[in-house]
Each structure stands twice: as structure tokens, then as C-alpha cells.
Amino acid sequence: GSPFENTRMDNLTLNVTFSLVLESFAIPPEGVYPAFIFGMLSYCIILICNLAILLTVALEKHLHEPMYLLLINLPINDLIGATAFLPQLMKEILLDTRTISYPACVTQAFFIHIYGGGSSLILTAMAYDRYVAICCPLRYNAIMTNTYVKKIITLIWITDLILMVVLFSLLLRLPRCQSMISGTYCDNPSLLRLVCADITINNIYGLFMTALMQLVSVGTITYTYLQILLTCLKNKHSDAKSKAIQTCATHLVVFLMLEVSGLFTILSYRFERASPFLRKMFGASTLIFPPIMNPIIYGLKTKEIRKHYIYSNIYCNRSFYVLMEVNCYLCH
């Protein structure tokens, strides 16, 4: 083509590369400030409650046991996901701007995927820990040593990091020719829609990675929880049985909530008829509610942690109820 056309194409590529547009939540003018307050409250609660768990376990030496060493990875992961999503969301709501630079978009997407993969792997490791504790109580200390747990934690983060680095390396090699992100935040599927090249390899790897993560997490959790259930049914001590079932039930609810919302978000990109509104809601809920609920369910409702951080427990629970009141106000 002519030099003029080449220059115009270069400018188009530059614009596409550094200025992307996110979909709007379509919040009416009167709902902007309540929505901003909801987002700010959510982020503050996530920061305070998760940091409370993290610092309590880190500073209390007698909590440096396998179960708690696994547990502290959950607030770390939740803080990664919430920080990748909520500050950008609050900026969009308050300033009424939906633009984001391409590097910032890729960075946000990378850490959101790190959060998603980390959630599945960490909850899987925690389910395995509960399985050993309930089904093999006499061998628990011999199996779940601190050294062994540290190896599990290292494996979780290395696996998560490698999978996501490969995922985004495959994305970044491709040229882009669009600038509209089909979502309210950046993720791999929405970034792939900007590409004007063959994405077969990306789709194959993405499906392979999703299937692998689901096979490992769902398979392991299904097996361990069935074994836990059978052990509890055989246990003649009603107190031990009810405590184990209650603990596992709450863990299972959190995992299922994460799985349903995460899978719906992923599959909604594959089906054009999927409701954009539902995709936005499920996508946002995956990044807001688990980081709020996890420290309450896994940490501040745990006796050993609660007695060392009772004031944080009261604050987090009160903050949670305030957040629910704001959420109800927004719904009406």
C-alpha cells in the first residue's frame, strides 16, 4: 500500500494497542454513588478481613500448623483477585470512564486468572488436608508435616503461574484489530475477541487448561468429601460427626459457589445467546463474594483464630451486614 495507508494502519494499531473500551454496567446517574460505596465497602472489608487472617496466622507461632499454613494462601489469593478487579471498577463507576490501556488490561486479566486458578487449587489442597485429618486421624501428623505442606503450597503456586504464563504468552503473540472489551473487566476470552488472527491454538490450550483444572479440583474434592462423608456416617460419636459434616458442608458450599459462577462466566463466552447481564453479574460476584465470605467461613469462624483476633471477627461480621444492607438498597 501507499505510505499514507501504512501510516494510517500503524496509527490504528497504536490506538487499538493502548486504548481499550470496557462494557458498561449501565448504572443510572442516581445509582453511581451507592454503587461506588458498595464497591469501596466491599474492597475495605476484603482487605481488613483477609489481612486479619493473614497476620494472625503469621504472627501466632502455635498456628504454624499444616491446616493454617494452607489456609493463609486463601487470603493471599483473594487479595490478588480483589485488587485486580475492584480498584479499576470503582474508577470506572466514579469517573464514568470505561477506557483502559492494553498493558493494564493484560495485567488485570493475568492476575484475575491467577486468582481463579489459585482458588481451585488451594481449596483442593484444603480438602485433601481435611480428608487426611478426618479419615486418617492417627496418621495425620506423620503425613501432613510442615515440610510436606510447604511442598504442596509451592506446587500450587508454580502450577498456577506456569499455566497462566503460557496462556498469556499465546495471547500476546497475536495481532489485535479491535478495541472493545466484551465485559466489565479484562480476561483471556475478552482479550481473544480483539484478535484478528487464527486463535485455534489458544482455544485448544484454554479448553485443555480448564479441563485439567476441573479434573484435578472437582475429582479430588469429590473423592475426598465422599470418603469424609462415609467416615462420618461410620463414626459413633455424634459431636465429632456433626462438627466434621458442618465444616465440610461450609467448605463445599464455597467451592460450589466458585465453580458455578466461574464456569458460567467461561462458558458464556462460548455461547452468543448467553445473557450479557448475567455474565457481568456472575463475573463480578466471583471476584467479590468469595473474598468476603472466605475469611468469615474459613478463618474468623475457626475457634483457634477467632480467640486470637476477636475484634477483627466482630468488625468483619458487622461490616458484612452493612455491606448486605447497601446491596439491598442498590437492588431496590
Side-chain angles (χ1 to χ4, degrees):
S2 67
F4 174 76
E5 288 177 345
N6 290 337
T7 303
R8 199 173 80 175
M9 287 300 294
D10 289 341
N11 290 336
L12 178 61
T13 303
L14 187 65
N15 290 334
V16 168
T17 301
F18 288 97
S19 182
L20 305 179
V21 181
L22 296 161
E23 277 187 6
S24 173
F25 266 110
I27 300 171
E30 64 274 13
V32 169
Y33 287 110
F36 176 77
I37 292 170
F38 175 76
M40 185 176 64
L41 272 176
S42 299
Y43 192 49
C44 288
I45 292 169
I46 289 167
L47 284 178
I48 292 169
C49 294
N50 282 285
L51 284 174
I53 300 296
L54 195 57
L55 291 173
T56 301
V57 176
L59 297 175
E60 295 291 337
K61 291 186 178 179
H62 72 279
L63 292 179
H64 294 180
E65 299 175 0
M67 183 177 81
Y68 301 109
L69 291 177
L70 286 172
L71 174 65
I72 61 172
N73 289 275
L74 208 54
I76 292 171
N77 189 62
D78 287 342
L79 287 170
I80 290 172
T83 303
F85 172 63
L86 281 169
Q88 172 65 30
L89 177 67
M90 288 187 287
K91 176 193 148 193
E92 292 171 30
I93 292 172
L94 190 62
L95 302 180
D96 193 25
T97 174
R98 294 182 288 119
T99 59
I100 184 172
S101 69
Y102 184 75
C105 190
V106 171
T107 302
Q108 183 187 51
F110 178 77
F111 283 110
I112 284 175
H113 282 266
I114 285 284
Y115 160 77
S119 295
S120 294
L121 293 173
I122 293 165
L123 291 174
T124 301
M126 290 174 69
Y128 173 69
D129 174 75
R130 292 300 83 205
Y131 161 73
V132 177
I134 295 171
C135 298
C136 314
L138 300 178
R139 297 178 56 206
Y140 180 79
N141 290 330
I143 296 172
M144 299 299 290
T145 63
N146 281 7
T147 303
Y148 181 57
V149 169
K150 287 174 184 176
K151 288 180 180 178
I152 292 175
I153 293 168
T154 303
L155 181 63
I156 286 171
W157 288 108
I158 289 177
T159 301
D160 194 20
L161 192 61
I162 289 173
L163 288 172
M164 300 313 158
V165 166
V166 173
L167 181 71
F168 283 88
S169 296
L170 290 173
L171 169 71
L172 292 173
R173 69 191 172 89
L174 299 171
R176 297 166 300 280
C177 55
Q178 296 186 54
S179 59
M180 183 69 186
I181 294 289
S182 57
T184 51
Y185 61 86
C186 300
D187 56 13
N188 181 64
S190 61
L191 284 167
L192 278 177
R193 291 192 171 190
L194 307 180
V195 170
C196 49
D198 184 16
I199 59 171
T200 303
I201 294 175
N202 299 69
N203 285 332
I204 291 172
Y205 178 77
L207 290 171
F208 164 76
M209 187 186 71
T210 303
L212 178 65
M213 296 283 278
Q214 291 301 304
L215 182 64
V216 171
S217 59
V218 175
T220 302
I221 287 176
T222 301
Y223 175 77
T224 54
Y225 277 48
L226 283 174
Q227 293 299 315
I228 288 169
L229 181 61
L230 291 173
T231 303
C232 289
L233 292 175
K234 292 177 184 177
N235 195 329
K236 296 180 181 180
H237 301 287
S238 59
D239 290 342
K241 183 192 296 186
S242 61
K243 185 178 178 181
I245 290 176
Q246 183 181 6
T247 301
C248 293
T250 54
H251 292 193
L252 197 58
V253 166
V254 172
F255 179 75
L256 289 174
M257 183 173 66
L258 182 71
E259 282 291 302
V260 170
S261 56
L263 278 176
F264 180 87
T265 304
I266 292 170
L267 293 175
S268 65
Y269 284 104
R270 306 282 175 182
F271 301 99
E272 296 295 333
R273 293 183 179 180
S275 167
F277 175 77
L278 285 179
R279 187 176 71 237
K280 293 175 189 176
M281 291 300 103
F282 272 98
S285 65
T286 306
L287 291 157
I288 294 176
F289 291 109
I292 292 174
M293 298 301 297
N294 284 343
I296 296 172
I297 291 174
Y298 289 101
L300 298 174
K301 291 298 182 185
T302 303
K303 182 180 177 181
E304 290 77 4
I305 292 178
R306 185 172 66 247
K307 70 181 182 182
H308 290 284
Y309 222 108
I310 185 67
Y311 296 111
S312 292
N313 185 24
I314 294 169
Y315 183 85
C316 286
N317 279 288
R318 284 181 178 174
S319 300
F320 176 73
Y321 289 123
V322 170
L323 180 64
M324 290 301 100
E325 289 175 5
V326 174
N327 187 31
C328 289
Y329 171 78
L330 291 175
C331 290
H332 289 87

